[in-house]
Amino acid sequence: MDAPQEIPFYVGHLLPQSHGVITHDEVDAALDSKYDMVAGYITNGAFRSRVEKTIADARAAGKEYIQVKYLEESEANLHPGDHIGQIVAFTSPWIELDSSDPLVASASKQVLKHEMAYAAFVGINNVVITGPKSTGIIAQYAQSISTVLATSMYMQVHIQLPIVEEEAGATTTEGSSDPYSSWDMWNTIRSICKYNLRLSLALRLPLKLPRLEVQARWLCEPVRFLSLSSSIFLPNNKGYPVLSKHHQQLITRYTKMRPVPYFLLSDTNRDKAIPASMTASQTSAKNVKPADPSSYLAYIRHIQKNQLPVTVLERAGVGYQDYLQSPLQPLADNLESSTYEVFEKDPVKYDQYEKAIELALWERDPKSTINVAVVGAGRGPLVSRALSAAKSAGRDIKLTAVEKNPNAYVTLLRHNRETWGGRVTVIKSDMRSWNPDFKVDILISELLGSFGDNELSPECLDGVQRVLSLDGITIPTSYSAHFTPIMAPKLHADITNRFTSEPTAAETPYVVYLHAVELLAQDKYIHNAWEFTHPIPADAFEDIRIMHEKGIVEGSNEHNTRFSKHTFKIPTRGVIHGLGGYFESVLYGDVELSIRPDTIEAKSKDMTSWFPMFFPIKTPLPVPDLSEVDISIWRLTDDKKVWYDWIVETYTVLDDTKRSRLGVSDLHSSKKVACLM
C-alpha cells in the first residue's frame, strides 16, 4: 500500500472587517506562523460611512442619481509593497449590487468599481466579491460582475457564496428550504458572464453540511477558496478545535480536485472566543477553554498531513484532470515512442490480455501448433504477453507481429533479437494489406479507443479478417460504446475559450480524464449505445469481399454505421454541457475491460490506459427537476473516414404520457475532424 502523500494546502487568514491597514510586518508575521497568505478588505469603515452619508444626502435632496467620489488615503487598507503578492483582497461586504433601490444599487456599483481599480493599482491578483443578497435581482448583480471582468483584465474574480440556501436565507415558493438555490445564483451569474475563465467561487462552509448530492454539485464547479469560519469548528475532548467527520470528508474530496482550493480561516481572533457552535451548557459540561487562534491553523495542517494515499487512477491522471485531448489518428499517423510508453505503463490492461490469450490457448488442441498474430503490435507489449501466455498454457505457437509504423518496426526487430530470442516473425505492413501464406487461429489487437470504436477498430479488424482460419477468433471478441449526459462547466469554459482559434472545438469528441463533472441521469445511469463483435458473420464478410474485388468503395463500410437514442430521467436540475462516453470490451470468455465508472472496479480495477470521451454541446442546456433528456448519437462513414453526429433534446414532464419540449441543441458533427481510414 502506498504511504500517505502530503497534498499541498495553501491556507490564508481572513482579517476581520474592523482591521485597519494591512502592513508588511503583519503579512510577514502571518507567513512566519505557517500561513501562506493573508486576506483582508480593500477599504475600511470610514469609506462605508462616507458612502452611506452620500446616499442619505441624495435621498433627502430627492435625487435620482448619485456620485461616489474616489477613495481617500485614510479609507484604504492596502498600499503598494512587496507584501501585496501574499494578500487576497475582499471588496466591501455591505454593498448591494442587486438592490431594488436605485440609489443603493448605483452607489454599490461605483464602490465596486473604485475598489477593483484600487486593488489593481496596488497589485492584487485575486479579489473576492460577496454574492447576491437575495435571489430576486441576480441578473442585475451578474451584469455588474460582467462589467468588472471586462475592465479588470488581469484579475481573478471569486464570488463568495454559501454552499446551501439556509445561510443565504432563500426558500422555495412553498416556504421550504431549497438546497440548490445558492447554486442557482452561481449558475445564473456565470452563465451571464459567459463562463469567463477568470470567474470562480469562494465557497463558505456552514456548521451543518447539506446532503451529499448537494455537496457533489459544487465539486464540479470552479471553487478556488473554501472559507472556514471558527464557528464551524467543534472542540474535541482536550478542548482543541476540530471539524466534524463530514467536514473532513468534504475537505478530502476537495483535495482531490485540481487545482486544490485555498483555505481561508476567519474569526480565529474573535476575543479568543469559544466556538460559536458550542452552547454555554456544553462548554461548562466539557470544561472547554477559549480556542487559541493558532490552533485552527494547526488543525488544518494536521488534516494536510493525514490525507489518504492516492489511488492508481489518480496517480496516472495527475496533470490530465479535465484536460482536453484530441483522439489519436492511429491509421493516419505514426505514433511516437513516448505515446506507446504511456500505454505500456498500465499492467492491468496487459494482465487482462494475457489472461484472455491463455484462456483461448487452453481451448486449442495441445498437440497442434497454433498460429497467433498480434496486429498493430506497436513496440510489442502484447507480443511479450502472448509468449508468456503460451508458456503458461503449455501450447506451441507460431507468433507473428504486424506493424505499419516503420519506427516501431525497428523496435520490434530489436526486441525479437534481444528479448524474444527470434521466436517472432516481424512484418512491416498495414494489417489490412497483410497477406500471409497461412491462416491465423488467434488474432490479437489493441485498437480500442475511449468510445470503443472511435480509433477504427471495426474497420481495421474487418480488413484483416480474411487471414483468420474458419474457427479463428479475435481478441477482443467484442466491444460496446456507452454514453450519459453530464454537467461539466470547466470543460465547457475551456472549449468556449478555444472558439476563436479552433472553430471545430465544440464539435470535437475529446479524450478527457473526467474529474470536475456530474452525471445527471437518475441513478447515474449510463446507456449502452451499440456493440461490435468480431469476426463479423461470414455472409456479411463475403459481401464486403466481393465489393472490394469489384472495386466498389461506396457503401463498403455501411455495416459499421450505428445509431442510438435514449431517454434519460433527470431527478435534479442542472445544466447539460455534453455527453460522457465510455466503453466495455469482452477480450475472450469472461475476461473483460471497462472504463465505465460503475463497472471498472469489477471488470478491470486500476486500469489507466483509457480516459473517457467527452462529446461537447455548443450551448449548455438547463434541465429542471424531474425532467427528461433525449440523446441521439450516430456513428457515420463515407468509406474514407468515420465520424459522429449527436443531438440533445430536453423536456419537462407533464404527466405519465405527456411532456413539453424545453430546448434542443444544434446537430453536432465531428465530420471535419473525422478519423481517417
Side-chain angles (χ1 to χ4, degrees), residues 298-332:
Y299 179 72
I300 296 298
R301 294 302 184 197
H302 168 74
I303 292 180
Q304 177 182 0
K305 292 179 180 179
N306 290 277
Q307 288 297 298
L308 296 173
V310 297
T311 66
V312 172
L313 183 57
E314 287 169 347
R315 189 185 306 111
V318 171
Y320 292 100
Q321 296 97 328
D322 301 310
Y323 176 74
L324 299 168
Q325 304 175 75
S326 296
L328 297 174
Q329 290 267 15
L331 293 185

Side-chain angles (χ1 to χ4, degrees), residues 333-343 379 405 407:
D333 302 327
N334 289 321
L335 303 182
E336 299 293 333
S337 182
S338 59
T339 303
Y340 288 119
E341 185 175 356
V342 170
F343 298 144
R379 303 196 313 179
N405 185 338
N407 305 307

Side-chain angles (χ1 to χ4, degrees), residues 199 228 312 356 436 563 604 612 616 649:
L199 182 66
L228 311 174
V312 172
F563 169 69
S604 46
E649 303 167 86

Side-chain angles (χ1 to χ4, degrees), residues 238-266:
K238 295 182 179 180
Y240 292 105
V242 297
L243 292 171
S244 72
K245 288 185 178 179
H246 295 299
H247 286 84
Q248 294 176 46
Q249 291 165 357
L250 179 59
I251 287 177
T252 294
R253 287 194 286 273
Y254 270 109
T255 62
K256 295 183 181 297
M257 306 309 291
R258 294 296 179 271
V260 177
Y262 295 169
F263 299 89
L264 286 181
L265 293 171
S266 62

Side-chain angles (χ1 to χ4, degrees), residues 374 377-388 399-401 408-426:
V374 178
R379 303 196 313 179
L382 283 182
V383 177
S384 297
R385 294 299 184 127
L387 291 170
S388 178
L399 184 56
T400 305
Y409 170 73
V410 173
T411 300
L412 290 171
L413 292 174
R414 182 171 63 85
H415 282 324
N416 195 31
R417 185 182 72 251
E418 298 180 357
T419 307
W420 302 326
R423 291 176 290 168
V424 180
T425 300
V426 180

Side-chain angles (χ1 to χ4, degrees), residues 57-79:
D57 291 345
R59 199 182 307 281
K63 293 183 178 179
E64 296 181 355
Y65 62 90
I66 191 172
Q67 181 179 4
V68 177
K69 294 182 180 179
Y70 202 70
L71 301 181
E72 300 289 344
E73 186 274 335
S74 60
E75 297 169 338
N77 286 337
L78 306 177
H79 298 288

